[in-house]
Amino acid sequence: MDRFGIEEIFAAQGTADRKEAAVETFIQGSTGLFLSGGAVGRAFSGLFPSPAGAAVQVLLLLLLFYAGIRFQKHRAGRSTDRAMLEHSGCAVFDYRVPEKTVRLSEGAMKLCGLPRAVRNIPELLDSGIIHPDGASRLACVGRKALNGARAQGVLRVRGASGEYRWFRITLTPFGKKRGRPEDLFGVLQDVTAQKEAELNCRRERKYRKAILGSSLASFEANFTLGRYYGGGKPMPGLPSEDGLDYSGVIGQFAGQSVFSEDREEFLRRFSLESVINQFIQGETKITMECRLCGKDGSCLWVLFTVSLIEDTHDVWGIAYVKNIDSQKRRELSLREKAERDSLSGLYNKGMTESLISEFLENQAGGIHALLILDVDNFKRINDTKGHQAGDSVLARISGILRRIFRSADIVGRIGGDEFLVLLKDIGSSEIAARKAREVCRTLCVCVGPEEREFCSVSVGIAMYPQHGTCFSELYRKADTALYQAKYSGKNRYVLYEESSSPQFWDHSAGP
């Protein structure tokens, strides 16, 4: 029975005016404004002249006294709760429903940069103190609380610094009047760290789902403990068991599945020690394009990726393998066309010079030789037999050069009838000279007897590091040696020497 059934009792007595005054007295007394026995007696005097009415009056007085005690305890409890909440880092406030006024505690004032009392609530909300994406959520929480139920919601609130942070707002209704609360007790609790962790986790799950959905294989690893967990997509070489030794698994996978030319770099990037070091240096993702070998000998280009995160002081990672074979082969084809000379199939001038320069810049030792080859009397071939015949000669010479030199050497066509070769790690200038002699002999014999006089070559040689350590210096000296070979009769090679005596550095290609 609402308000202890007072309205029902007064309706039976039929004294409407005095009933209203007594109820008002009762409400005021129950909110602790006064509990004076005289005031209560005066309010109820004359209402119940009969003995039965006197009994009702006594009952009402007892109920009123009990309600006052309850209210005092309740108010004391709320004060204690408020102090405890403030002490725990929460900010509290009161919203007086009839006045539509918010009264803030000291903590709430410092948090939001607002005065103690705020009366224009719509204007406050329009100022952006609540992030726009939380406006509807706040309205929902407010409606629920005004309907008499405790309500909660999480939204972003702008602090005194102007930065938005995540808060859990709790509204608890108090003091109902005419079916609606007169007061809403509010608590703001900063949950930014928790919310951001939740959002990161949600993004991570979404990202992982998208990535793993298109991957060939995946696994997880605890790099701090060196453990492998194969709960993702399995593939040959990557076991499905959990808790295995990471180094053992990755080493076996590299040995069985990674193409031999990519294996060393793969192990360098994804070894346990390397992953930990890269994480310490701030890396969160380690990637490598490599080739995986099938049982039938075929190769598949893949992107091997390890994404790193720190979880409870351990470094974890999720690894996945993505098929990039089609796009990689297209890329290599386009690169091949951009890097290669269309007539000879060798590297073009720009790529040849770039590759040699890059190789020399990264050298810390070793002996290498730079050779410049020039076809003798090539202009006469073009003039007497036509450019088509000249192109045919260049194509045949290019094929011979590919067979003579190793795959590790750099061979390119840098001009109409001029070729450039870097012999890597040859050991001595004598070996470079023997290779140059082989070139001169082979080219004279292989292009055909009727064209023999036109198809000999002259070669100039410069040695690294004896004659220089950069491309431009070696090229200049090899070109000087080539000029000497031409000057000395062609069809020969010359090893550059600081001496200017032709007899010392001129070597015939003949036996």
Side-chain angles (χ1 to χ4, degrees), residues 169-227:
I169 181 171
T170 304
L171 296 178
T172 305
F174 287 100
K176 279 189 177 181
K177 184 176 181 180
R178 296 184 179 89
R180 289 176 64 85
E182 292 188 308
D183 186 29
L184 299 181
F185 179 61
V187 179
L188 286 173
Q189 181 184 4
D190 192 332
V191 294
T192 302
Q194 175 186 341
K195 187 66 177 180
E196 288 183 349
E198 176 188 329
L199 293 174
N200 288 336
C201 183
R202 192 178 302 166
R203 283 192 292 265
E204 179 67 24
R205 285 198 300 268
K206 186 176 180 181
Y207 169 77
R208 182 180 300 187
K209 183 178 180 180
I211 289 296
L212 299 186
S214 60
S215 66
L216 294 174
S218 63
F219 65 87
E220 294 185 11
N222 184 323
F223 293 104
T224 302
L225 302 178
R227 297 288 100 186

Side-chain angles (χ1 to χ4, degrees), residues 91-159:
V92 299
F93 62 91
D94 286 295
Y95 177 64
R96 293 291 298 161
V97 177
E99 294 87 2
K100 297 182 180 180
T101 301
V102 176
R103 296 189 62 82
L104 306 175
S105 66
E106 292 291 338
M109 291 168 60
K110 292 179 181 179
L111 171 68
C112 301
L114 297 173
R116 183 174 296 279
V118 179
R119 290 179 173 80
N120 194 335
I121 305 301
E123 182 178 329
L124 176 65
L125 296 178
D126 289 341
S127 70
I129 191 168
I130 303 297
H131 194 277
D133 64 12
S136 60
R137 192 173 301 114
L138 177 63
C140 182
V141 171
R143 282 194 300 269
K144 186 175 179 181
L146 289 173
N147 287 329
R150 185 172 179 269
Q152 275 190 346
V154 177
L155 42 83
R156 281 185 282 180
V157 178
R158 188 182 63 206

Side-chain angles (χ1 to χ4, degrees), residues 214-266:
S214 60
S215 66
L216 294 174
S218 63
F219 65 87
E220 294 185 11
N222 184 323
F223 293 104
T224 302
L225 302 178
R227 297 288 100 186
Y228 166 94
Y229 300 90
K233 287 185 177 180
M235 73 177 301
L238 292 175
S240 58
E241 294 85 358
D242 290 343
L244 301 178
D245 176 65
Y246 171 82
S247 297
V249 171
I250 212 70
Q252 183 177 1
F253 175 73
Q256 291 181 353
S257 303
V258 179
F259 188 63
S260 57
E261 293 181 8
D262 303 333
R263 192 172 299 147
E264 182 179 351
E265 177 65 15
F266 180 87

Side-chain angles (χ1 to χ4, degrees), residues 381-448:
I381 297 176
N382 279 336
D383 291 344
T384 60
K385 297 184 179 296
H387 288 284
Q388 188 173 0
D391 289 348
S392 176
V393 168
L394 291 175
R396 291 158 68 184
I397 289 175
S398 300
I400 294 170
L401 293 179
R402 278 196 295 269
R403 292 194 297 270
I404 291 176
F405 295 105
R406 302 165 298 177
S407 61
D409 297 329
I410 299 172
V411 184
R413 180 186 174 209
I414 60 174
D417 58 352
E418 195 169 75
F419 299 84
L420 190 62
V421 179
L422 180 70
L423 289 170
K424 299 179 182 177
D425 299 307
I426 59 169
S428 67
S429 58
E430 288 78 10
I431 297 175
R434 287 202 300 269
K435 203 70 174 175
R437 185 182 297 114
E438 179 186 356
V439 169
C440 292
R441 290 176 177 172
T442 304
L443 288 178
C444 275
V445 171
C446 291
V447 294

Side-chain angles (χ1 to χ4, degrees), residues 16-43:
D17 294 337
R18 287 198 173 187
K19 175 196 73 171
E20 185 174 348
V23 170
E24 185 64 28
T25 300
F26 174 76
I27 293 172
Q28 291 179 351
S30 66
T31 53
L33 294 178
F34 63 87
L35 286 174
S36 166
V40 174
R42 287 191 299 272

